[in-house]
Amino acid sequence: MLSNNTSPTAVSNRPWPSARYLLRTGAGVAATALVGSAAAGSRSTWYQQVDKPPYQPPFAAFPIAWTLRYADIAVTSAYALQNATESQPVID
């Protein structure tokens, strides 16, 4: 059942998710980023030996791009969770 008399299509008018959701998704995304960064090791000898295309961005661009990407994932996930409604059972 939906709480607070909201309809399944109701969406919050807030432009940003609440701090509660941002902290939760931010912590999850940060943990994932740390584990992925430790596992990837872009400075490894294997990666240095891979034949890379000439249009590959410089190494300094990757931390900036991935930080922005992870921040976007955290914010959009928090917004989606904040505005999610309880799903209806498929079979009663």
Side-chain angles (χ1 to χ4, degrees), residues 1-3 6-8 81 83-92:
M1 289 288 164
L2 298 172
S3 59
T6 58
S7 69
L81 287 172
N83 292 298
T85 59
E86 294 181 28
S87 62
Q88 299 296 318
V90 177
I91 300 173
D92 287 332

PDB file of all heavy atoms in Angstrom, residues 1-3 6-8 81 83-92:
ATOM      1  N   MET A   1       0.831  -1.188   0.000  1.00  0.00           N
ATOM      2  CA  MET A   1       0.000   0.000   0.000  1.00  0.00           C
ATOM      3  C   MET A   1       0.876   1.253   0.000  1.00  0.00           C
ATOM      4  O   MET A   1       1.941   1.266   0.583  1.00  0.00           O
ATOM      5  CB  MET A   1      -0.866   0.024   1.257  1.00  0.00           C
ATOM      6  CG  MET A   1      -1.951  -0.995   1.271  1.00  0.00           C
ATOM      7  SD  MET A   1      -3.146  -0.434   0.084  1.00  0.00           S
ATOM      8  CE  MET A   1      -4.083  -1.871  -0.141  1.00  0.00           C
ATOM      9  N   LEU A   2       0.374   2.267  -0.646  1.00  0.00           N
ATOM     10  CA  LEU A   2       1.078   3.529  -0.664  1.00  0.00           C
ATOM     11  C   LEU A   2       0.759   4.318   0.587  1.00  0.00           C
ATOM     12  O   LEU A   2      -0.359   4.319   1.067  1.00  0.00           O
ATOM     13  CB  LEU A   2       0.679   4.336  -1.897  1.00  0.00           C
ATOM     14  CG  LEU A   2       1.010   3.697  -3.235  1.00  0.00           C
ATOM     15  CD1 LEU A   2       0.397   4.513  -4.356  1.00  0.00           C
ATOM     16  CD2 LEU A   2       2.506   3.603  -3.402  1.00  0.00           C
ATOM     17  N   SER A   3       1.758   4.973   1.105  1.00  0.00           N
ATOM     18  CA  SER A   3       1.540   5.746   2.326  1.00  0.00           C
ATOM     19  C   SER A   3       1.339   7.223   1.989  1.00  0.00           C
ATOM     20  O   SER A   3       1.678   7.677   0.914  1.00  0.00           O
ATOM     21  CB  SER A   3       2.740   5.583   3.255  1.00  0.00           C
ATOM     22  OG  SER A   3       3.908   6.029   2.615  1.00  0.00           O
ATOM     23  N   THR A   6      -0.359   9.076  -1.513  1.00  0.00           N
ATOM     24  CA  THR A   6       0.299   9.464  -2.756  1.00  0.00           C
ATOM     25  C   THR A   6      -0.091   8.499  -3.849  1.00  0.00           C
ATOM     26  O   THR A   6      -0.313   7.327  -3.617  1.00  0.00           O
ATOM     27  CB  THR A   6       1.829   9.456  -2.607  1.00  0.00           C
ATOM     28  OG1 THR A   6       2.244   8.144  -2.218  1.00  0.00           O
ATOM     29  CG2 THR A   6       2.293  10.478  -1.597  1.00  0.00           C
ATOM     30  N   SER A   7      -0.190   9.016  -5.043  1.00  0.00           N
ATOM     31  CA  SER A   7      -0.508   8.157  -6.177  1.00  0.00           C
ATOM     32  C   SER A   7       0.776   7.551  -6.715  1.00  0.00           C
ATOM     33  O   SER A   7       1.856   8.069  -6.486  1.00  0.00           O
ATOM     34  CB  SER A   7      -1.204   8.980  -7.263  1.00  0.00           C
ATOM     35  OG  SER A   7      -0.290   9.886  -7.835  1.00  0.00           O
ATOM     36  N   PRO A   8       0.686   6.448  -7.458  1.00  0.00           N
ATOM     37  CA  PRO A   8       1.895   5.827  -8.008  1.00  0.00           C
ATOM     38  C   PRO A   8       2.676   6.731  -8.942  1.00  0.00           C
ATOM     39  O   PRO A   8       3.848   6.538  -9.145  1.00  0.00           O
ATOM     40  CB  PRO A   8       1.361   4.607  -8.764  1.00  0.00           C
ATOM     41  CG  PRO A   8       0.029   4.332  -8.187  1.00  0.00           C
ATOM     42  CD  PRO A   8      -0.501   5.654  -7.726  1.00  0.00           C
ATOM     43  N   LEU A  81      15.316   6.853  -5.453  1.00  0.00           N
ATOM     44  CA  LEU A  81      14.879   6.190  -4.226  1.00  0.00           C
ATOM     45  C   LEU A  81      13.898   7.051  -3.436  1.00  0.00           C
ATOM     46  O   LEU A  81      12.930   6.544  -2.877  1.00  0.00           O
ATOM     47  CB  LEU A  81      16.085   5.847  -3.356  1.00  0.00           C
ATOM     48  CG  LEU A  81      16.950   4.695  -3.853  1.00  0.00           C
ATOM     49  CD1 LEU A  81      18.219   4.586  -3.015  1.00  0.00           C
ATOM     50  CD2 LEU A  81      16.179   3.398  -3.840  1.00  0.00           C
ATOM     51  N   ASN A  83      11.807   9.144  -4.576  1.00  0.00           N
ATOM     52  CA  ASN A  83      10.524   9.243  -5.273  1.00  0.00           C
ATOM     53  C   ASN A  83       9.914   7.893  -5.620  1.00  0.00           C
ATOM     54  O   ASN A  83       8.906   7.834  -6.316  1.00  0.00           O
ATOM     55  CB  ASN A  83      10.687  10.086  -6.536  1.00  0.00           C
ATOM     56  CG  ASN A  83      10.962  11.518  -6.183  1.00  0.00           C
ATOM     57  OD1 ASN A  83      10.146  12.176  -5.561  1.00  0.00           O
ATOM     58  ND2 ASN A  83      12.149  11.992  -6.520  1.00  0.00           N
ATOM     59  N   ALA A  84      10.530   6.830  -5.166  1.00  0.00           N
ATOM     60  CA  ALA A  84      10.004   5.491  -5.454  1.00  0.00           C
ATOM     61  C   ALA A  84       8.732   5.243  -4.649  1.00  0.00           C
ATOM     62  O   ALA A  84       8.567   5.737  -3.536  1.00  0.00           O
ATOM     63  CB  ALA A  84      11.048   4.439  -5.116  1.00  0.00           C
ATOM     64  N   THR A  85       7.855   4.467  -5.222  1.00  0.00           N
ATOM     65  CA  THR A  85       6.646   4.052  -4.521  1.00  0.00           C
ATOM     66  C   THR A  85       6.712   2.553  -4.327  1.00  0.00           C
ATOM     67  O   THR A  85       7.451   1.854  -5.018  1.00  0.00           O
ATOM     68  CB  THR A  85       5.384   4.417  -5.327  1.00  0.00           C
ATOM     69  OG1 THR A  85       5.458   3.785  -6.594  1.00  0.00           O
ATOM     70  CG2 THR A  85       5.255   5.922  -5.479  1.00  0.00           C
ATOM     71  N   GLU A  86       5.933   2.067  -3.393  1.00  0.00           N
ATOM     72  CA  GLU A  86       5.912   0.623  -3.169  1.00  0.00           C
ATOM     73  C   GLU A  86       5.293  -0.050  -4.378  1.00  0.00           C
ATOM     74  O   GLU A  86       4.308   0.404  -4.930  1.00  0.00           O
ATOM     75  CB  GLU A  86       5.108   0.316  -1.917  1.00  0.00           C
ATOM     76  CG  GLU A  86       5.754   0.831  -0.650  1.00  0.00           C
ATOM     77  CD  GLU A  86       4.938   0.492   0.579  1.00  0.00           C
ATOM     78  OE1 GLU A  86       4.218  -0.517   0.555  1.00  0.00           O
ATOM     79  OE2 GLU A  86       5.042   1.235   1.556  1.00  0.00           O
ATOM     80  N   SER A  87       5.881  -1.160  -4.810  1.00  0.00           N
ATOM     81  CA  SER A  87       5.351  -1.849  -5.971  1.00  0.00           C
ATOM     82  C   SER A  87       4.140  -2.699  -5.578  1.00  0.00           C
ATOM     83  O   SER A  87       4.021  -3.180  -4.458  1.00  0.00           O
ATOM     84  CB  SER A  87       6.424  -2.732  -6.597  1.00  0.00           C
ATOM     85  OG  SER A  87       6.822  -3.710  -5.679  1.00  0.00           O
ATOM     86  N   GLN A  88       3.269  -2.862  -6.517  1.00  0.00           N
ATOM     87  CA  GLN A  88       2.086  -3.674  -6.306  1.00  0.00           C
ATOM     88  C   GLN A  88       2.440  -5.135  -6.577  1.00  0.00           C
ATOM     89  O   GLN A  88       3.237  -5.406  -7.463  1.00  0.00           O
ATOM     90  CB  GLN A  88       0.963  -3.229  -7.250  1.00  0.00           C
ATOM     91  CG  GLN A  88       0.529  -1.799  -7.031  1.00  0.00           C
ATOM     92  CD  GLN A  88      -0.076  -1.598  -5.650  1.00  0.00           C
ATOM     93  OE1 GLN A  88      -0.839  -2.425  -5.192  1.00  0.00           O
ATOM     94  NE2 GLN A  88       0.299  -0.514  -5.002  1.00  0.00           N
ATOM     95  N   PRO A  89       1.878  -6.064  -5.833  1.00  0.00           N
ATOM     96  CA  PRO A  89       2.183  -7.477  -6.099  1.00  0.00           C
ATOM     97  C   PRO A  89       1.664  -7.898  -7.474  1.00  0.00           C
ATOM     98  O   PRO A  89       0.593  -7.448  -7.907  1.00  0.00           O
ATOM     99  CB  PRO A  89       1.443  -8.229  -4.983  1.00  0.00           C
ATOM    100  CG  PRO A  89       0.408  -7.267  -4.495  1.00  0.00           C
ATOM    101  CD  PRO A  89       0.938  -5.887  -4.744  1.00  0.00           C
ATOM    102  N   VAL A  90       2.433  -8.735  -8.156  1.00  0.00           N
ATOM    103  CA  VAL A  90       2.052  -9.199  -9.472  1.00  0.00           C
ATOM    104  C   VAL A  90       0.923 -10.221  -9.342  1.00  0.00           C
ATOM    105  O   VAL A  90      -0.054 -10.184 -10.068  1.00  0.00           O
ATOM    106  CB  VAL A  90       3.253  -9.818 -10.201  1.00  0.00           C
ATOM    107  CG1 VAL A  90       2.844 -10.375 -11.561  1.00  0.00           C
ATOM    108  CG2 VAL A  90       4.347  -8.778 -10.354  1.00  0.00           C
ATOM    109  N   ILE A  91       1.064 -11.136  -8.380  1.00  0.00           N
ATOM    110  CA  ILE A  91       0.058 -12.161  -8.146  1.00  0.00           C
ATOM    111  C   ILE A  91      -0.389 -12.065  -6.701  1.00  0.00           C
ATOM    112  O   ILE A  91       0.419 -12.006  -5.794  1.00  0.00           O
ATOM    113  CB  ILE A  91       0.620 -13.565  -8.427  1.00  0.00           C
ATOM    114  CG1 ILE A  91       1.081 -13.656  -9.873  1.00  0.00           C
ATOM    115  CG2 ILE A  91      -0.407 -14.636  -8.124  1.00  0.00           C
ATOM    116  CD1 ILE A  91       1.807 -14.925 -10.209  1.00  0.00           C
ATOM    117  N   ASP A  92      -1.692 -12.061  -6.478  1.00  0.00           N
ATOM    118  CA  ASP A  92      -2.197 -11.984  -5.098  1.00  0.00           C
ATOM    119  C   ASP A  92      -2.124 -13.315  -4.419  1.00  0.00           C
ATOM    120  O   ASP A  92      -2.306 -14.349  -4.898  1.00  0.00           O
ATOM    121  CB  ASP A  92      -3.646 -11.472  -5.094  1.00  0.00           C
ATOM    122  CG  ASP A  92      -3.663  -9.987  -5.422  1.00  0.00           C
ATOM    123  OD1 ASP A  92      -2.682  -9.306  -5.123  1.00  0.00           O
ATOM    124  OD2 ASP A  92      -4.676  -9.538  -5.979  1.00  0.00           O
TER     125      ASP A  92
END
